[in-house]
Amino acid sequence: KTAGVTQALRDLLRQHPRQPFVPTDEHELEARAAEILNIQASGLMRRMQAARSTAMVIGLSGGLDSTLAFLVAWDALQQLGMDAKQLHAITMPGPGTSSGTYSNAQGLAAAVHAHLEEIPINAAVEQHLADLKHTGDFDVVFENAQARERTQILFNYANKVGGIVVGTGDLSELALGWCTFNADHMANYNVNASVPKTLIAYLVRWYAQ
């Protein structure tokens, strides 16, 4: 009986890949990356055409998610025959912004000659927290206030230029609820909604190569 139980336990010890969405074969990864980027760009193109929009607006933080969304938007822009300046990259430095991601955002926008707009949110966030009589702790209120301020700016800026807001949140964040309600979970069209977090770094690397 003990031997039977031991064998049953061994049968349950199956090997699972740590990153099931990422192909281990380099050629397969290349083919899949090209297909994913094409699907993302095609979906965004159709949304642009349906909305009769003349611009794309994206919050560019310099992190992986917004980098991939920016590259997809750039591809869609080229296929639509639109000018590079119709891609509006908005960087919104705030109390928690690092110099590394900030310089990444600047470099990425400059590389494709997209329109880069810098809108600091420090004063707006400070005023909002003061209105709430916030204690100044680095808590969920502090974090979410920044996220919601950025989303407000993106949507209002998109109204100003006749554009749509391209979302950056990935599938893993949406599945786990790891995003701020009425903030980075909102967009006119989210190109990363079907891409898991573990795959995004590989897609960006493939695009860079």
Side-chain angles (χ1 to χ4, degrees), residues 64-76:
L64 276 173
D65 288 355
S66 69
T67 295
L68 179 60
F70 180 87
L71 296 174
V72 170
W74 170 243
D75 275 4

Side-chain angles (χ1 to χ4, degrees), residues 164-176:
I164 64 171
V165 177
V166 179
T168 63
D170 60 63
L171 175 62
S172 301
E173 292 179 342
L174 296 172
L176 296 172

Side-chain angles (χ1 to χ4, degrees), residues 149-182:
E149 178 61 28
R150 289 188 171 106
T151 299
Q152 174 181 243
I153 289 172
L154 290 174
F155 275 100
N156 290 337
Y157 187 96
N159 289 155
K160 174 185 172 184
V161 299
I164 64 171
V165 177
V166 179
T168 63
D170 60 63
L171 175 62
S172 301
E173 292 179 342
L174 296 172
L176 296 172
W178 192 256
C179 52
T180 301
F181 188 66
N182 276 341

Side-chain angles (χ1 to χ4, degrees), residues 43 69 76 101 112 115-116 131 137 144 146 163 198 201:
T101 54
V112 301
H115 177 80
L116 179 65
D131 292 340
D137 296 332
N144 286 346
Q146 295 180 71
T198 52

